[in-house]
Amino acid sequence: MCEDDHGTSAGDGTGNELARRALFVTGAAAALTLGSVTFSHGTPAAAAADGNDGTETRTVRGTLPTGSPDFVYLPVEIPEGVRELRVSYSYDRPSVPAGTAGNALDIGVFDQRGTELGGKGFRGWSGGARTEFFVRADDATPGYIPGRVEAGTWHIALGPYTVSPQGLSYEITITLTYGEPGDAVDPVYPPERAKGRGRAWYRGDCHLHTWYSDGRRTPAEIAALARAAGLDFINSSDHNTHSSHAHWAAEAGDDLLVMVGEEVTTRNGHVLALGTDPGTFVDWRYRARDNRFGKYARRIRRAGGLVVPAHPHATCVGCNWKFGFAEADAVEVWNGTYSPEDEVALADWDGMLVASVREGAPGGRGWIPAMGNSDAHRDPDPVGVPQTVVLADDLTREAIQEGLRAGRSYVAESKSLSLSFTASGPKGEHADIGGRLKVSEDAPVTVRLEVSGAPRCTVRFVTDQGVLFTSAVLPVAGAGVVEWRTTPQYAAYVRAEVRHEAVLAPLPGALAAFTNPIFLGR
């Protein structure tokens, strides 16, 4: 479900095509800057005297060739006395040969503070989800940040996501409304704490989209679905905008912790900024070759968030993760309804676990926990399928993040499925998910999984050698206890998988649940 909608567009009006263009560099990423759009009137009275009823409109037309830079900026000279900026756009959709990408054009805006990477000028982004937007002091289109329309050079940002061989012809209509600005509204953010159960297992979904990016649900609708799915916490993760952060406070409650973040949607993969400080903007205008990701990963952490590469093996354009995992706090292995892409991600993650325990591997933590999220956008996408179940000291942002970072978690397809996974040694030593059983290399170890809500599923224990044990099919009631014995010299770690019956043997069945590992040995 790694979507970033690129919907149809419409625009109207007349004007001259801009001919002046220049190539400039922002950080390491080249971008195209078009000639400026100017407005003749500087006051509401002047606009009204010219019969414009307090508004002025300009229309720009042009064509972007195949191979255009990732971002094209249209400067707009905003005079004094503007109350509202409104922009609409459209572009052509010519037929293309089979296997060739057609046209898709994203849009957003930066204010008079500029377009510098990571700067303060960001005022909104809707990708391809909308054909128009407005910004004013007291309100803005979902995806955009309310605030005064100050005088200066603003930039409409175009993102030619894909361009057909014929090129991409576009039309942009800009309307200024003059007048006194409305009163700005101070944002109210959700609390960082809900009424928890102390140290307990909490269920969450940390990859959700609202109508503040390309989703179709309101925060209220998502919160209701989250409660119905048995979730204790959620994380808002709209594409390339933090505009929803100020619209979640009313949906949080004693029974639901709402964290806020962003899905940082680059051309080389998507990453969840999970649980950042409210109001945090994380830039996305770079590729892996620009060597910029480390800077923005650190930005996420400074804002109190986790860095979680999303759907790393997704096949949609720009979705496949190419930045490596050195900066990751966790990785989203399971995204939405279980698919072959998730199976590849699971195998890749298991390979990273093997690398973390090999002789001579770097010291420190050395491994990356896995998680699962729904990536729900709209009906019929289910919220909480799958969900990550975290052992946390309380139902707070900090405690949930610490549980995720430590790997004290498992992933389940729904609230109906629960499990307990432990390892024990000969002298009463004990370890839970994400922990280490500190026993000698030849000490006998008992691995135990208790599972409920998994009718006719099988259990597999996976180690650095691969799958070393597969249980019989669980009964229709879906509950059972499975034990296996090993030693640390035979298995450096053990993790559990609960799988549905296979549809295409010898391929394994779809996951119903899986755990992070327990490491064995000192």
Side-chain angles (χ1 to χ4, degrees):
M1 297 182 187
C2 40
E3 309 180 34
D4 193 0
D5 283 352
H6 296 88
T8 58
S9 303
D12 53 26
T14 60
N16 297 321
E17 180 177 351
L18 292 175
R20 293 186 294 121
R21 301 180 179 182
L23 193 67
F24 80 106
V25 172
T26 301
L32 183 69
T33 298
L34 306 177
S36 297
V37 177
T38 60
F39 288 80
S40 59
H41 298 293
T43 66
D50 204 31
N52 289 319
D53 194 26
T55 67
E56 250 190 308
T57 297
R58 296 284 185 272
T59 295
V60 174
R61 300 181 183 88
T63 300
L64 299 175
T66 302
S68 291
D70 289 348
F71 300 100
V72 177
Y73 296 100
L74 174 63
V76 180
E77 301 299 332
I78 302 289
E80 298 283 352
V82 173
R83 179 176 185 271
E84 179 185 276
L85 167 70
R86 185 173 293 269
V87 176
S88 64
Y89 82 123
S90 63
Y91 58 94
D92 64 334
R93 309 289 183 94
S95 299
V96 296
T100 303
N103 285 337
L105 185 64
D106 294 343
I107 197 167
V109 70
F110 290 78
D111 66 19
Q112 81 285 350
R113 291 171 289 183
T115 61
E116 179 186 3
L117 267 177
K120 297 181 178 181
F122 176 77
R123 289 297 293 274
W125 182 258
S126 49
R130 289 185 167 79
T131 61
E132 61 181 329
F133 66 84
F134 74 89
V135 176
R136 62 175 186 257
D138 60 342
D139 200 4
T141 298
Y144 294 79
I145 312 301
R148 292 175 65 102
V149 182
E150 302 283 1
T153 303
W154 288 50
H155 289 84
I156 296 170
L158 302 176
Y161 193 71
T162 53
V163 179
S164 71
Q166 301 95 317
L168 188 155
S169 296
Y170 61 86
E171 179 177 285
I172 305 169
T173 299
I174 306 151
T175 300
L176 304 184
T177 299
Y178 295 93
E180 291 297 320
D183 294 329
V185 178
D186 292 332
V188 178
Y189 299 122
E192 296 190 9
R193 175 183 297 273
K195 186 177 181 180
R197 304 181 297 276
R199 188 172 176 84
W201 291 92
Y202 296 99
R203 294 176 177 266
D205 187 349
C206 293
H207 190 165
L208 294 162
H209 295 278
T210 72
W211 66 356
Y212 288 90
S213 63
D214 63 340
R216 294 293 181 268
R217 291 167 171 152
T218 65
E221 290 169 330
I222 289 177
L225 291 169
R227 288 179 165 98
L231 301 183
D232 301 295
F233 66 92
I234 59 175
N235 177 74
S236 171
S237 54
D238 283 310
H239 292 282
N240 294 348
T241 181
H242 59 287
S243 65
S244 71
H245 291 190
H247 299 275
W248 279 104
E251 315 314 327
D254 285 348
D255 62 333
L256 185 65
L257 172 69
V258 177
M259 298 185 291
V260 295
E262 178 184 333
E263 183 172 6
V264 183
T265 307
T266 80
R267 296 299 179 88
N268 283 162
H270 303 183
V271 62
L272 302 179
L274 195 165
T276 53
D277 296 333
T280 298
F281 165 65
V282 183
D283 215 319
W284 72 94
R285 294 171 293 160
Y286 43 84
R287 294 195 186 200
R289 67 191 183 196
D290 300 326
N291 197 27
R292 289 290 186 270
F293 176 67
K295 173 181 177 179
Y296 293 100
R298 292 188 290 274
R299 163 69 169 147
I300 292 169
R301 291 196 189 92
R302 284 197 304 271
L306 301 183
V307 178
V308 184
H311 45 68
H313 289 276
T315 56
C316 45
V317 174
C319 295
N320 191 267
W321 184 251
K322 299 183 185 298
F323 293 95
F325 296 92
E327 298 286 352
D329 294 306
V331 58
E332 186 186 73
V333 167
W334 185 350
N335 176 277
T337 303
Y338 199 71
S339 71
E341 293 174 0
D342 300 316
E343 192 69 38
V344 174
L346 182 70
D348 190 44
W349 170 66
D350 191 68
M352 290 191 281
L353 291 179
V354 173
S356 75
V357 298
R358 71 174 182 262
E359 186 176 352
R365 172 192 170 144
W367 71 285
I368 304 171
M371 65 183 306
N373 301 298
S374 73
D375 197 1
H377 283 71
R378 60 181 66 79
D379 291 339
D381 298 350
V383 170
V385 178
Q387 50 194 247
T388 299
V389 190
V390 186
L391 179 61
D393 289 334
D394 206 348
L395 189 51
T396 67
R397 178 175 75 150
E398 183 178 3
I400 292 295
Q401 289 176 320
E402 176 55 31
L404 292 172
R405 189 185 295 109
R408 297 193 304 265
S409 60
Y410 66 90
V411 180
E413 64 183 358
S414 74
K415 66 180 180 181
S416 301
L417 198 153
S418 297
L419 56 81
S420 172
F421 184 50
T422 60
S424 57
K427 298 180 180 179
E429 303 94 340
H430 179 88
D432 294 304
I433 299 171
R436 176 173 290 276
L437 185 67
K438 297 180 180 180
V439 296
S440 63
E441 290 297 293
D442 59 353
V445 171
T446 300
V447 178
R448 177 184 174 91
L449 180 76
E450 299 180 36
V451 61
S452 63
R456 298 199 59 79
C457 288
T458 57
V459 172
R460 308 200 312 178
F461 292 140
V462 186
T463 76
D464 54 313
Q465 292 193 62
V467 179
L468 292 183
F469 177 84
T470 301
S471 76
V473 176
L474 294 173
V476 174
V481 176
V482 179
E483 289 190 349
W484 177 63
R485 288 172 177 80
T486 187
T487 63
Q489 64 187 5
Y490 190 57
Y493 65 82
V494 183
R495 60 180 184 83
E497 295 180 356
V498 181
R499 289 185 176 262
H500 292 287
E501 294 178 281
V503 176
L504 296 173
L507 297 177
L511 277 180
F514 77 95
T515 73
N516 275 298
I518 300 174
F519 293 91
L520 307 179
R522 294 194 176 95

